[in-house]
Amino acid sequence: MNLNEPINAQRVGQAVGKYRWTICALLFFATTVNYLDRQVLSLLAPGLSTEFGWSNTDYANIASVFQFVYAISMLFAGRVVDKIGTKTAFVVAICIWSTGAMMHAFAVPMGEGIAAVCSAFGLAVIPVSIAGFMLSRAVLAIGEAGNFPIAIKATAEYFPKKERSFATGIFNSGANVGAILAPICVPLIAGLWGWEAAFIVIGMLGFVWVAVWITLYQKPEQQKRLSAAELAYIRSDEPVQVIATPVAGEVVKKVSWFKLLTYRQTWAFAFGKFMTDGVWWFFLFWLPTYLSAQYGMKGSDIVVPLAVLYSMTMVGSIGGGWFPSYFMARGDKPYDGRMKAMLVIALFPLLVLLAQPFGYISFWVPVLLIGVGASAHQAWSCNIFTTVSDMFPQKTVASVVGIGGMAGGLGGVVMTKIGGWVFDYYKSINDIHTGYMIMFAICALAYLVAWSVMKALVPQHKEITDL
């Protein structure tokens, strides 16, 4: 088959096979496992806090370690993946994060070991349970930071450009599925065999996935299960890239992070991530604790509310990806249409402001309102990533995304720390209701603030051509 020959997607999809969708399914399940592993602690937090005597600040410190290490690791993940390759990178990443997930079960003995080492050197010792969980969260974060850069690279390898956004949307929905499955599985496992078993059983899923990945994944050119026709279809829109390929012997210089930081577009993306990623982290880490503190819900009680809430986010993820096309179809340029869509999306989290005032009616009121806010975040997230490819040349997109990913992770650290301080203070004066009202207000307003600053930094589309 001639790679330059125009191809009818519907006709070829029937003729050439669908092995590329097997790879998409693997990426979907990897992302599902990714979110299952990171959610176990938040679901067990109410019980662990009672068992180990953690304050809200203690829990925030444990959660912040994950976010901080994740942020730093995100900055380097893309370059590491490019160096060692997709297959090896995923094996390394998921083995690291699955090991980190299982380490949580041994947090106390690990904490005792850390305390012994610190004491030997005359260093201050933090409670052993906190030290052990911090170490486990750090290892988990290092591995999990690789998931999205690797999955995006695998999608680029196995899908033509016209199918990549759809494939990305499918594997990205694994995050929502993981968030839905976690409150169903984790309390059940913990109730049957103890909280340690929850970390071990969920953590082992990653190693099962690795075995399947090693068996089924090869680069497309080396993949025996891939027909010649499907490979030609995957490569069918690559002639445009060939034009941009440097001539043999030409030295291609990488664009430094410092150079990228001289552009307003980089700062617009990074600020948008910093302001809004923390909201998603807040929902992930604090919602089980919120339902426990405000409504006395424990264990399996939170399964249905959280499943409903995260099911709502799937609507935002899919709808948010489509929304800018509404404006583009009416003549807007991609960036302008995307910014209009993001402004509308930024209004929906304002409904979270009503969660506390009307929460007395039923716990379903805050669950549904927060669900709208979380769904809006997924819609926002679909679009803010694409603003990078709207303005930057392809060779710098991964680096800019890494910078923004680090900024988003640091925003998560700040949000989690603020939450811990606020909740501890208002709990001490017996007014935790006000504490949550403050945090929900921050979540509600974050998107409008982010959009306003992004628009001020980049008022109109301006593609960067001097890199």
Side-chain angles (χ1 to χ4, degrees):
M1 181 179 289
N2 186 349
L3 296 186
N4 295 312
E5 179 184 346
I7 298 177
N8 180 283
Q10 191 174 33
R11 174 175 60 81
V12 173
Q14 296 173 349
V16 303
K18 301 177 180 179
Y19 190 77
R20 63 194 183 281
W21 296 107
T22 299
I23 301 303
C24 185
L26 285 173
L27 302 178
F28 167 85
F29 285 115
T31 306
T32 301
V33 172
N34 184 283
Y35 267 75
L36 274 170
D37 284 332
R38 73 173 65 179
Q39 279 287 86
V40 176
L41 179 61
S42 64
L43 291 164
L44 298 178
L48 293 175
S49 296
T50 300
E51 180 174 343
F52 296 117
W54 294 343
S55 65
N56 285 311
T57 298
D58 291 332
Y59 174 61
N61 289 337
I62 294 171
S64 295
V65 168
F66 176 90
Q67 294 163 314
F68 180 76
V69 176
Y70 186 90
I72 300 302
S73 300
M74 276 289 292
L75 186 61
F76 298 96
R79 298 198 176 195
V80 172
V81 173
D82 286 337
K83 184 175 182 179
I84 68 176
T86 307
K87 184 173 184 176
T88 301
F90 232 145
V91 172
V92 172
I94 204 164
C95 284
I96 291 174
W97 96 52
S98 296
T99 299
M102 297 174 69
M103 285 171 59
H104 289 70
F106 310 97
V108 173
M110 287 192 304
E112 291 172 346
I114 295 172
V117 172
C118 290
S119 297
F121 287 94
L123 302 175
V125 179
I126 60 177
V128 294
S129 65
I130 296 176
F133 277 101
M134 282 183 169
L135 176 60
S136 302
R137 298 308 281 179
V139 175
L140 179 69
I142 291 171
E144 290 209 344
N147 182 75
F148 284 96
I150 301 169
I152 291 170
K153 184 177 178 66
T155 301
E157 290 175 346
Y158 261 89
F159 288 86
K161 291 179 181 179
K162 53 182 168 283
E163 289 184 349
R164 286 176 193 172
S165 61
F166 181 51
T168 300
I170 291 176
F171 86 69
N172 186 53
S173 67
N176 302 320
V177 174
I180 293 169
L181 291 177
I184 298 174
C185 302
V186 173
L188 178 61
I189 298 172
L192 290 174
W193 301 303
W195 63 265
E196 296 93 342
F199 287 109
I200 293 173
V201 172
I202 300 299
M204 288 176 63
L205 294 176
F207 294 107
V208 175
W209 183 92
V210 164
V212 180
W213 173 257
I214 292 174
T215 302
L216 297 181
Y217 188 89
Q218 292 290 345
K219 289 184 178 180
E221 294 78 6
Q222 302 170 356
Q223 180 58 262
K224 296 180 180 179
R225 299 176 180 87
L226 198 66
S227 68
E230 187 170 9
L231 178 60
Y233 175 62
I234 291 170
R235 299 290 181 251
S236 62
D237 53 7
E238 286 191 352
V240 174
Q241 291 183 327
V242 174
I243 297 173
T245 302
V247 296
E250 181 180 347
V251 178
V252 179
K253 293 183 178 180
K254 291 184 177 180
V255 180
S256 71
W257 288 315
F258 296 104
K259 174 65 174 177
L260 294 173
L261 290 174
T262 63
Y263 294 93
R264 288 190 173 194
Q265 290 89 335
T266 303
W267 287 101
F269 174 67
F271 184 82
K273 293 286 287 180
F274 177 84
M275 286 297 299
T276 59
D277 275 16
V279 177
W280 181 250
W281 290 110
F282 177 81
F283 290 150
L284 282 178
F285 288 138
W286 289 103
L287 274 178
T289 302
Y290 167 70
L291 293 175
S292 175
Q294 290 279 268
Y295 299 99
M297 302 174 72
K298 302 288 185 181
S300 60
D301 295 340
I302 65 175
V303 171
V304 174
L306 290 185
V308 169
L309 188 151
Y310 287 115
S311 295
M312 295 172 66
T313 64
M314 298 182 71
V315 176
S317 183
I318 297 170
W322 165 84
F323 192 26
S325 64
Y326 171 84
F327 297 103
M328 295 176 199
R330 284 155 177 75
D332 284 317
K333 294 180 180 179
Y335 177 78
D336 297 328
R338 211 172 310 284
M339 289 302 289
K340 286 183 179 179
M342 290 172 70
L343 176 59
V344 175
I345 291 167
L347 299 175
F348 282 90
L350 295 177
L351 291 174
V352 178
L353 290 169
L354 303 177
Q356 287 298 80
F358 293 97
Y360 70 91
I361 299 174
S362 167
F363 69 85
W364 281 111
V365 173
V367 166
L368 294 175
L369 291 174
I370 294 170
V372 172
S375 184
H377 174 85
Q378 290 293 72
W380 171 277
S381 184
C382 288
N383 286 285
I384 192 171
F385 274 117
T386 317
T387 62
V388 178
S389 57
D390 286 340
M391 296 180 288
F392 284 88
Q394 186 177 5
K395 65 180 181 179
T396 63
V397 168
S399 294
V400 177
V401 169
I403 293 171
M406 183 182 71
L410 295 177
V413 173
V414 172
M415 179 71 84
T416 301
K417 292 289 290 182
I418 291 174
W421 294 330
V422 168
F423 297 147
D424 273 344
Y425 171 75
Y426 281 98
K427 184 178 180 180
S428 69
I429 62 174
N430 198 31
D431 189 18
I432 193 67
H433 178 92
T434 299
Y436 279 103
M437 183 68 204
I438 292 172
M439 294 306 299
F440 289 159
I442 294 174
C443 294
L445 297 171
Y447 298 86
L448 282 175
V449 173
W451 187 91
S452 299
V453 173
M454 291 177 69
K455 188 65 173 176
L457 287 171
V458 188
Q460 294 181 338
H461 176 259
K462 185 178 180 181
E463 191 163 347
I464 295 172
T465 58
D466 59 343
L467 288 173

